[in-house]
Amino acid sequence: MWRMYGEMQIRRNFYQLMRRDEMEMIHLTIDGKPVTAEKGTTILKAASTVGVDIPTLCYFELRDLGIENKPGGCRICVVEVEGRRNLAPACTTKVENGMVVNTHNIRVLNARRTVLELILSDHPAECLTCAKNGNCELQSMAQQLGVRELPYTGEQSTYRKDTSPAIIRDVDKCIMCRRCEMMCNEVQTVGALSAVNRGFMAVVAPAFEMNLEKSTCTYCGQCVSVCPTGALTEVDHSRNVINALADPTKTVVVQTAPAVRAALGEEFGLAPGTLVTGKMAAALRRLGFNYVFDTDFAADLTIMEEGSELLDRLSRYLKGDKTVKLPMLTSCCPGWVNFFEHYFPELRDIPSTAKSPQQMFGPIAKEYFAKKLGIDRKNMIVVSIMPCLAKKYECQREEFKVNGDPDVNYSLSTRELAHLIKSANIDFDSLPEEGFDNPMGESTGASVIFGTTGGVIEAACRTAYELYTGKKLKKVDFKELRGFENIRHATIDFDGLPIKIGIAHGLGNARKLLEDIKEGRNQFHAIEIMACPGGCIGGGGQPYHHGDSEILKQRAAALYREDEGKAIRKSHENPFIIELYKEFLGKPLGEKSHHLLHTKYFDKSAGVFVEE
Amino acid sequence: MAKIKLSEKKLQELKDICTSFNHEKGELINVLHKAQGLFGYLPAEVQEIIAKELNVSVAHVYGVVTFYSFFTMTPKGEHPISVCLGTACYVRGADKVLEEFKRILNIQVGETSADGKFSLSCLRCVGACGLAPVVMVGEKVYGRVSPDGVKDIVAEYRN
Amino acid sequence: MAKKQLRIALRNCGVIDPERIEEYIERDGYLALGKVLTELSPEAAIEIIKKSGLRGRGGGGFSTGLKWDITRRVKADQKYVVCNADEGDPGAFMDRSVLEGDPHSVIEAMAINGYCTGASKGLVYIRAEYPLAIERLKIAMKQASEWGFLGTNILGTGFNFEIEIRYGAGAFVCGEETALIHSMEGLRGEPTVKPPFPSESGYLEKPTNVNNVETYANVPVIINKGWEWFAGIGTEKSKGTKVFALAGKINKVGLIEVPMGTTLREVIFEIGGGLQDGATFKAVQTGGPSGGCLMEKHLDIPIDYDNLIAAGSMMGSGGMIVMDDANCMVSIAKFYLEFTVEESCGKCSPCRIGNKRLFELLEKITGGNGTPEDLDKLRNLSHVIKDTSLCGLGQTSPNPVLSTLENFYEEYREHVFDKKCRSSVCKSLMMYIIDAEKCIGCTLCARNCPVNAITGERKLAHYIDPEKCIKCGACMEKCKFGAIFIN
């Protein structure tokens, strides 16, 4: 048989094993340059320290989040290691003392190029009409390696197309990099996707290759955000929005989520972390939206409801009410809601019943603002701009419709908004800074930080603290709740009452945290969970970060900057929120609020249905 | 994919199989072997139950099922016909024998005839290279099969 | 078939009743285990295996003793030894024969391996398609436990060792160690990049030593008879014997075991009795889908690991298929590639797509549409696939193409330039022609042609329209006058 043991390799390994203790730093040569690297470093990383940039395709890393994908499958990063029979993948091969690596001699270049030609030979050449055109890593690689023709052509593997409420799978374009599979299983622990079949027909798909809609998919969109090609993309609703804008009978209202303003600029060449709140509002106005509002306003509203709910549960709990469910889990993330409905339905009375900001905005727009304007809710179209793909599904949920009319009609991703702006010939860079319209455009610093992990719970603490203690916060910043660590714990002193807070971002971390609670390993009063690593700034609808976690950090920093710069930084101090309660809602958790701003959750654990 | 209904008894047997392997996810392949022994194939429902019992995702189970050629999601015929396409059989004309089976039964490899009587599959070396080309119908081995002999083999099982 | 053969791995096959441990014991069974456990330290026992020169019989030919030593040196609370019995090579069945005929030798060797490496657990990964071998192995395991050769405190030495069976499910790639380990863990049998080698991090991330059945079968004898004896057999770098499965157009098919260094000619013509029906030898394929096709000029090469690789083939697990003039070498290469395409796991792009493209190129050539550039493409692509694939499957899958290109280039040339298949295997390159001299115009052929490709007036010579002809051969079969021939 062909089980070839690389004798040289194992020998070298063997001696290395014997001397393991002595070595920490490894000395090797890459492209003639001497390199010193820590033991365990890969050739890829060691090379980058001396300015040698080895191309990669399947390899993917979000360093600050500890996410890495390196199946060693695409073979684009192969390099020559002298003394080895075969080329070695730089992404998985660890440095060894005395190693001599060549990353671009003729053997390597020919092999790398041929491998890419092979991948392209099994990939539809539909670049011009592909959603990933210009943003496709395979396309860039073809450009980088200068592929001009395909010498090897033949059958292409084809599969059924699949459109779900949020995500389109066109896996003819799948190159088996396995990033989505890694995200779905290892990071998110959703398990909707797996590599299926073998050999030429191998592809990543849901069970039985059925539609994503029938799987346990939460639409978190992390598969989309890491897909290097157009195999996984979002369902594009921009055409519906254009039609609505062109319809004179419709009043079109738009809301923009906090995380969008910290990332949209990247689509126009601005540095990551550039805040474009004002330009974004200006662009939306020029696109023809009748009212440019802010989801942040609804986020403040969420804090009022969710914060009050937390206080209500807490005070009942402290009074000895045994029926109170604690910890209270946040519920503004639709990916997370889908997740617990699928995997932890027994916990479905624990999350706050408060709707997400997107879904609070909807009824306020259609039941309050539309009435104020004197128009029928059917003639109002609510569009949301979201960093998220699960929001597309959330706004289609039956419980968020009135007589078939959805509270939020269309949810566009940050990327779709960028496309809209570009296609409308708007020069984003030269736009003036404009403000949002009122009444639903005014927001506080608390609502802005909703867009990053830890932000919702920080915002809730600011309000809950003051409402509970009746005292003014000396310092509104709760730095202990910030950061990118997977699971974070903190205890906040509510004037003598220690409130234990848990935070998880990424569904895998959420699962861990929930299991800890179920097993009694940890206890909390309140927990914030965001489905996407990093929170909404890393959402499935954001501009592609291509594995650069620095971008995510910059986006988060931008949101905290915006928070700091705000005059009002606590949700309950938002004058328009105060006005809204006075004029329309009454009080938090009141009857009207209950009806318009709260929801319930479902048991979806039956999960998989087999198609007839 | 047709939906099948599992009888209570079969369902219990399936769960017992999973229990006998301690619901260990590492035992998935052993469980699938036993389950296929029980049902003759691995319909979607069976995979769903196994996934639940072993606490793995259905996608994972399906990924494993579709990786290994021994596992099948289509029920085999009453008389499963396997043509050996090992090298020894191939150099002695097994490909022509296979073509003849396809022609006579009017099915492709991996399919089952409409009456459910025959299914056709290929296998790699049954270790009877001396008898090449070799065909198996159920457990019975036919050696030195020629394309002409195919119709006689099929006729044996027709009634 | 006794001549020139030397049976070490197969010493007991067909000699003892494999279901009776007494018969195994009668022939020195479990003596080696006893010796190792009571007289030798693990290091000393490994030293014997190392010095014997035993190399892995699964194909790679890595030093067995060194492999054991590496596993022994890794510190871990739990280690495993694995017997790879997932024989997937089409045309090789020595592992099955050993497990069916002498299962105790494998059990004994695994226990020795466990003692030497510090593993208390053994796993046999066996093809589910081998029911008899599984049955016999189970019986043998039960008997070995009853006799105290497996279980706790073996032979009163305090050494514990158990064996479990894991079933393969039909994936050739699971012959690769890392893929095999993933399969045993209940995963898709996809290989992972080495290093880390299984000896450091294998089954359940514990140090794992994987050897094949035939390798194990040699171990007890080496311990009993001494390394000097074993090292005295074979060539300088390949010691002992090798089992081959002789098949194809040869008179005596079946398993043979010969000392390393025996020539291919001796195997084929003396032991195998030459070709059937006095046919002319054309090629011998060794090493299965990862091996190559050797020709007449290679027949006097002494068989060992290194010589076969130097000749462009490999030892593999020991398949040996003899071919004659009726075998088209381009089609043979295509046959192997078809196998590889079907068995590729799909994880790495060169193997997943490259082998498919190789196969398609061969299809094009055998279909009569090959171009001179295609021959260059075959070569370049083959080298890149070998150079860049993740595991042994892809790293060797182009060997049948490269070796036939090297040794039978003339046949490729004929297919491409002359549009001819000298073995009349490639249908598209065949032309059925009616010899006008011999045809009497009986019309029988025309009436039997399924596509009405034959025209001609009664009593006059007929003509086959090559455009319409589907080369089914019905006309030639029916013609009573031998007037139809293939060009």
Side-chain angles (χ1 to χ4, degrees):
Chain A
M1 259 212 178
W2 39 263
R3 277 157 248 156
M4 298 287 282
Y5 235 92
E7 192 151 343
M8 288 299 293
Q9 293 171 32
I10 197 163
R11 279 244 164 82
R12 203 175 296 125
N13 238 43
F14 178 38
Y15 294 124
Q16 218 182 308
L17 270 175
M18 293 168 52
R19 288 180 289 167
R20 176 162 276 175
D21 305 327
E22 304 164 24
M23 290 188 300
E24 270 314 313
M25 296 309 282
I26 306 284
H27 303 279
L28 69 159
T29 310
I30 299 178
D31 289 348
K33 299 175 189 174
V35 182
T36 305
E38 239 174 76
K39 187 179 157 79
T41 312
T42 60
I43 293 177
L44 180 70
K45 290 193 171 163
S48 72
T49 63
V50 290
V52 174
D53 187 14
I54 302 167
T56 59
L57 193 53
C58 68
Y59 180 75
F60 176 86
E61 189 191 24
L62 272 174
R63 208 182 49 227
D64 297 296
L65 296 165
I67 294 169
E68 197 177 27
N69 179 61
K70 50 174 183 182
C74 76
R75 315 307 279 185
I76 287 292
C77 71
V78 286
V79 295
E80 183 184 82
V81 176
E82 285 182 14
R84 286 202 191 182
R85 197 180 50 240
N86 302 314
L87 299 178
C91 69
T92 47
T93 306
K94 294 193 172 131
V95 293
E96 289 168 22
N97 263 327
M99 220 180 209
V100 179
V101 179
N102 301 309
T103 75
H104 64 88
N105 62 18
I106 185 74
R107 176 185 174 201
V108 172
L109 290 180
N110 178 49
R112 186 176 293 152
R113 190 196 171 95
T114 304
V115 167
L116 183 61
E117 286 164 355
L118 287 172
I119 296 171
L120 292 171
S121 78
D122 187 27
H123 191 85
E126 297 168 0
C127 292
L128 289 181
T129 50
C130 178
K132 278 305 260 301
N133 190 8
N135 240 325
C136 170
E137 294 176 37
L138 184 61
Q139 198 180 39
S140 313
M141 190 60 61
Q143 181 69 299
Q144 188 185 335
L145 300 194
V147 175
R148 291 291 172 270
E149 58 176 339
L150 296 182
Y152 308 102
T153 52
E155 187 193 335
Q156 298 195 341
S157 47
T158 54
Y159 312 87
R160 212 163 48 86
K161 290 213 177 16
D162 165 18
T163 301
S164 69
I167 294 169
I168 298 175
R169 289 175 55 248
D170 182 5
V171 286
D172 292 3
K173 295 174 183 164
C174 173
I175 58 167
M176 284 297 276
C177 71
R178 319 291 281 271
R179 292 181 189 177
C180 58
E181 188 190 8
M182 180 274 297
M183 271 293 177
C184 190
N185 292 282
E186 287 169 38
V187 177
Q188 301 293 64
T189 65
V190 166
L193 296 173
S194 169
V196 306
N197 303 333
R198 188 167 77 190
F200 191 63
M201 289 309 287
V203 76
V204 178
F208 317 121
E209 286 160 77
M210 63 187 174
N211 291 341
L212 213 45
E213 195 174 355
K214 311 227 170 173
S215 76
T216 52
C217 176
T218 63
Y219 304 122
C220 73
Q222 283 303 310
C223 55
V224 175
S225 72
V226 298
C227 180
T229 72
L232 292 164
T233 52
E234 70 264 43
V235 174
D236 193 331
H237 283 146
S238 37
R239 195 155 285 273
N240 308 64
V241 172
I242 292 171
N243 289 340
L245 290 170
D247 185 342
T249 65
K250 304 289 185 203
T251 300
V252 190
V253 167
V254 67
Q255 52 161 323
T256 63
V260 176
R261 66 207 64 193
L264 180 65
E266 293 163 29
E267 290 279 350
F268 299 95
L270 299 174
T274 310
L275 279 169
V276 293
T277 321
K279 285 184 191 297
M280 175 176 72
L284 289 166
R285 214 161 267 132
R286 277 150 192 71
L287 281 169
F289 286 100
N290 300 98
Y291 294 93
V292 179
F293 289 140
D294 200 353
T295 312
D296 289 18
F297 171 83
D300 278 332
L301 192 54
T302 301
I303 289 300
M304 295 305 291
E305 294 295 327
E306 202 171 292
S308 304
E309 190 182 349
L310 175 62
L311 285 181
D312 175 59
R313 288 201 207 179
L314 266 178
S315 50
R316 274 166 44 217
Y317 173 78
L318 292 173
K319 279 181 201 138
D321 184 346
K322 292 273 183 289
T323 64
V324 172
K325 305 279 185 186
L326 279 176
M328 192 181 81
L329 302 165
T330 57
S331 60
C332 31
C333 169
W336 153 237
V337 169
N338 291 337
F339 185 73
F340 73 70
E341 286 182 332
H342 276 302
Y343 288 101
F344 296 92
E346 72 278 10
L347 301 181
R348 68 184 186 278
D349 51 356
I350 294 186
S352 161
T353 58
K355 288 181 185 174
S356 71
Q358 168 178 276
Q359 293 307 137
M360 284 202 179
F361 183 96
I364 297 299
K366 290 199 174 178
E367 299 296 327
Y368 165 73
F369 185 61
K371 287 204 175 104
K372 253 183 123 151
L373 293 179
I375 60 172
D376 187 72
R377 67 171 279 149
K378 292 228 151 141
N379 286 327
M380 178 174 276
I381 300 291
V382 174
V383 177
S384 69
I385 311 294
M386 293 284 147
C388 178
L389 299 188
K391 290 283 173 194
K392 287 176 185 286
Y393 165 76
E394 186 187 40
C395 72
Q396 293 174 45
R397 289 176 83 124
E398 284 307 314
E399 63 269 28
F400 298 147
K401 289 176 184 168
V402 175
N403 300 325
D405 176 50
D407 292 340
V408 176
N409 297 71
Y410 306 112
S411 176
L412 301 188
S413 67
T414 312
R415 296 187 294 263
E416 285 168 83
L417 173 61
H419 282 142
L420 263 186
I421 295 171
K422 286 173 190 168
S423 65
N425 307 330
I426 296 169
D427 177 12
F428 191 77
D429 216 24
S430 64
L431 285 172
E433 309 264 335
E434 292 180 9
F436 291 103
D437 293 318
N438 280 329
M440 292 150 74
E442 183 63 43
S443 65
T444 69
S447 64
V448 173
I449 56 173
F450 260 59
T452 181
T453 171
V456 172
I457 208 75
E458 181 170 344
C461 281
R462 291 179 190 175
T463 291
Y465 179 93
E466 296 201 351
L467 296 185
Y468 179 78
T469 63
K471 294 180 182 168
K472 277 260 170 242
L473 268 174
K474 284 193 204 79
K475 230 176 75 186
V476 292
D477 292 328
F478 290 88
K479 294 239 161 94
E480 57 271 51
L481 300 173
R482 301 180 183 181
F484 268 0
E485 268 163 83
N486 295 332
I487 296 175
R488 308 196 290 283
H489 305 164
T491 306
I492 306 287
D493 179 13
F494 270 35
D495 207 18
L497 175 68
I499 298 293
K500 289 191 75 181
I501 307 278
I503 298 170
H505 59 128
L507 292 170
N509 295 324
R511 182 189 288 274
K512 250 184 253 152
L513 193 58
L514 288 189
E515 271 160 10
D516 276 359
I517 294 164
K518 267 172 99 172
E519 305 288 320
R521 283 189 290 264
N522 236 321
Q523 280 187 328
F524 297 99
H525 297 106
I527 293 175
E528 177 202 289
I529 291 174
M530 291 293 155
C532 292
C536 306
I537 48 151
Q542 291 281 55
Y544 295 108
H545 50 61
H546 299 290
D548 184 352
S549 60
E550 192 52 38
I551 294 180
L552 300 187
K553 281 163 98 178
Q554 292 303 328
R555 290 176 189 166
L559 292 182
Y560 285 118
R561 257 198 334 273
E562 173 124 321
D563 167 33
E564 261 173 50
K566 286 263 186 186
I568 305 171
R569 298 182 63 194
K570 288 167 277 189
S571 299
H572 57 284
E573 293 176 356
N574 183 332
F576 287 89
I577 292 285
I578 297 168
E579 178 68 22
L580 180 69
Y581 275 105
K582 215 189 275 173
E583 192 182 317
F584 180 65
L585 287 171
K587 59 177 176 46
L589 306 182
E591 202 194 318
K592 208 153 204 167
S593 292
H594 179 76
H595 175 63
L596 292 176
L597 306 180
H598 289 258
T599 184
K600 59 176 181 170
Y601 307 106
F602 302 87
D603 179 355
K604 292 184 181 163
S605 60
V608 182
F609 301 93
V610 177
E611 283 166 64
E612 293 292 331
Chain B
M1 210 177 301
K3 193 152 179 136
I4 62 148
K5 190 103 181 86
L6 303 181
S7 70
E8 272 308 311
K9 187 171 158 282
K10 282 274 176 89
L11 185 67
Q12 195 48 53
E13 281 179 64
L14 181 58
K15 287 184 175 167
D16 291 345
I17 290 172
C18 298
T19 308
S20 74
F21 287 103
N22 250 333
H23 302 270
E24 282 278 345
K25 38 180 128 215
E27 299 279 5
L28 175 59
I29 290 170
N30 281 341
V31 170
L32 290 171
H33 270 298
K34 293 264 181 197
Q36 184 157 304
L38 180 63
F39 294 94
Y41 67 118
L42 294 167
E45 291 71 9
V46 169
Q47 295 182 40
E48 283 179 28
I49 289 159
I50 291 173
K52 206 167 252 174
E53 293 290 314
L54 303 191
N55 196 21
V56 292
S57 74
V58 198
H60 173 71
V61 175
Y62 178 75
V64 169
V65 166
T66 53
F67 186 88
Y68 296 97
S69 55
F70 191 84
F71 298 132
T72 172
M73 287 184 67
T74 35
K76 283 219 169 111
E78 197 181 321
H79 306 291
I81 298 172
S82 308
V83 180
C84 177
L85 284 187
T87 321
C89 290
Y90 176 80
V91 298
R92 290 198 186 175
D95 51 334
K96 296 185 188 81
V97 172
L98 177 65
E99 286 308 314
E100 188 63 10
F101 272 111
K102 286 193 206 166
R103 197 185 64 80
I104 289 184
L105 299 173
N106 196 24
I107 52 174
Q108 293 300 309
V109 173
E111 291 181 354
T112 301
S113 61
D115 59 4
K117 269 214 146 51
F118 298 100
S119 54
L120 189 57
S121 65
C122 298
L123 44 84
R124 303 280 182 188
C125 202
V126 288
C129 304
L131 297 173
V134 174
V135 169
M136 285 179 74
V137 182
E139 297 287 293
K140 192 170 171 188
V141 177
Y142 293 80
R144 300 205 174 84
V145 180
S146 68
D148 285 343
V150 168
K151 60 179 180 302
D152 299 332
I153 295 176
V154 173
E156 262 183 62
Y157 298 90
R158 265 269 145 83
N159 299 309
Chain C
M1 272 208 215
K3 198 178 152 204
K4 298 230 174 197
Q5 290 204 52
L6 175 63
R7 293 166 85 94
I8 298 177
L10 299 177
R11 63 194 177 279
N12 291 326
C13 292
V15 177
I16 61 168
D17 178 347
E19 299 191 7
R20 284 172 39 86
I21 191 171
E22 295 88 344
E23 295 196 18
Y24 180 69
I25 292 171
E26 224 163 78
R27 289 174 59 92
D28 294 343
Y30 292 105
L31 203 64
L33 178 64
K35 186 175 166 185
V36 167
L37 290 186
T38 56
E39 297 171 21
L40 298 172
S41 67
E43 292 85 344
I46 288 177
E47 202 53 30
I48 294 174
I49 303 297
K50 265 191 190 169
K51 282 188 173 155
S52 76
L54 177 65
R55 294 169 65 173
R57 297 295 192 245
F62 188 76
S63 160
T64 305
L66 187 55
K67 205 173 190 180
W68 289 19
D69 202 17
I70 293 168
T71 314
R72 184 187 67 79
R73 282 169 188 270
V74 181
K75 289 192 177 67
D77 53 342
Q78 176 75 58
K79 296 181 189 178
Y80 296 94
V81 297
V82 173
C83 172
N84 181 351
D86 189 48
E87 196 166 46
D89 209 337
F93 49 95
M94 48 284 295
D95 293 354
R96 192 188 71 160
S97 298
V98 170
L99 287 171
E100 285 179 3
D102 192 16
H104 284 287
S105 68
V106 175
I107 294 172
E108 183 178 5
M110 287 179 73
I112 293 172
N113 189 1
Y115 173 73
C116 289
T117 55
S120 60
K121 205 147 190 194
L123 295 153
V124 180
Y125 185 79
I126 186 168
R127 279 183 79 174
E129 293 95 326
Y130 283 174
L132 184 60
I134 292 167
E135 187 55 33
R136 294 229 164 116
L137 185 64
K138 281 184 178 165
I139 292 170
M141 279 161 53
K142 187 161 172 281
Q143 290 173 343
S145 300
E146 285 163 3
W147 283 65
F149 299 125
L150 286 179
T152 49
N153 194 17
I154 294 168
L155 303 175
T157 60
F159 172 62
N160 306 327
F161 192 73
E162 281 169 40
I163 295 180
E164 262 181 46
I165 299 181
R166 292 296 160 105
Y167 300 101
F172 178 65
V173 70
C174 289
E176 204 277 348
E177 296 178 312
T178 58
L180 180 151
I181 286 166
H182 292 141
S183 183
M184 291 199 308
E185 292 169 342
L187 306 172
R188 290 162 60 84
E190 293 178 354
T192 38
V193 179
K194 293 192 278 195
F197 290 90
S199 46
E200 297 164 63
S201 175
Y203 181 63
L204 305 178
E205 293 177 9
K206 300 292 182 189
T208 304
N209 184 90
V210 185
N211 283 123
N212 130 298
V213 173
E214 190 186 334
T215 313
Y216 276 128
N218 279 292
V219 167
V221 197
I222 294 173
I223 300 287
N224 284 335
K225 295 199 179 179
W227 64 265
E228 298 90 342
W229 166 79
F230 191 81
I233 305 163
T235 64
E236 193 197 335
K237 286 186 175 165
S238 303
K239 302 299 185 188
T241 58
K242 178 76 191 88
V243 181
F244 290 100
L246 272 185
K249 306 286 181 61
I250 194 165
N251 273 317
K252 296 179 189 163
V253 297
L255 288 189
I256 60 149
E257 184 172 356
V258 291
M260 297 279 186
T262 308
T263 65
L264 284 166
R265 191 181 301 281
E266 287 169 316
V267 170
I268 296 165
F269 290 93
E270 294 180 36
I271 299 171
L275 275 78
Q276 276 178 348
D277 310 323
T280 314
F281 170 85
K282 181 176 189 176
V284 56
Q285 208 279 352
T286 72
S290 29
C293 292
L294 302 178
M295 58 197 298
E296 176 72 33
K297 72 169 183 197
H298 298 114
L299 285 180
D300 294 311
I301 293 178
I303 303 170
D304 72 7
Y305 290 101
D306 312 286
N307 285 341
L308 285 178
I309 288 175
S313 183
M314 63 186 290
M315 185 80 84
S317 59
M320 198 178 274
I321 316 272
V322 177
M323 298 166 196
D324 66 6
D325 280 341
N327 293 119
C328 161
M329 299 315 289
V330 185
S331 302
I332 292 292
K334 190 176 79 173
F335 166 78
Y336 280 111
L337 256 296
E338 187 176 12
F339 177 84
T340 312
V341 168
E342 207 169 288
E343 295 296 337
S344 164
C345 80
K347 185 174 178 182
C348 77
S349 2
C351 182
R352 180 179 72 245
I353 310 169
N355 283 317
K356 176 85 173 171
R357 298 292 173 251
L358 269 189
F359 173 72
E360 286 167 342
L361 279 169
L362 291 167
E363 252 189 339
K364 193 177 164 199
I365 293 170
T366 55
N369 301 313
T371 64
E373 296 80 62
D374 290 338
L375 295 176
D376 293 337
K377 284 185 188 175
L378 273 184
R379 209 173 258 125
N380 179 47
L381 189 51
S382 293
H383 285 301
V384 171
I385 294 170
K386 276 176 75 100
D387 219 8
T388 57
S389 287
L390 196 160
C391 83
L393 194 153
Q395 286 163 12
T396 57
S397 61
N399 284 351
V401 180
L402 287 172
S403 69
T404 47
L405 269 174
E406 172 73 23
N407 296 328
F408 301 93
Y409 185 71
E410 195 51 26
E411 285 193 40
Y412 279 90
R413 222 195 52 78
E414 286 167 7
H415 279 76
V416 169
F417 290 91
D418 309 338
K419 306 291 174 206
K420 265 195 183 140
C421 173
R422 63 166 80 170
S423 312
S424 297
V425 171
C426 301
K427 263 190 178 183
S428 311
L429 296 175
M430 285 195 261
M431 189 129 77
Y432 283 80
I433 295 174
I434 298 176
D435 184 346
E437 301 278 299
K438 288 186 182 165
C439 177
I440 63 153
C442 71
T443 73
L444 188 62
C445 59
R447 280 183 278 133
N448 277 288
C449 178
V451 291
N452 295 322
I454 308 180
T455 51
E457 308 236 337
R458 181 171 277 275
K459 300 208 171 153
L460 289 176
H462 279 47
Y463 167 74
I464 302 173
D465 182 349
E467 298 284 306
K468 287 188 186 166
C469 175
I470 55 162
K471 289 127 184 172
C472 69
C475 54
M476 195 159 95
E477 249 172 57
K478 294 287 175 191
C479 180
K480 292 170 184 156
F481 308 95
I484 302 179
F485 64 96
I486 300 170
N487 191 6

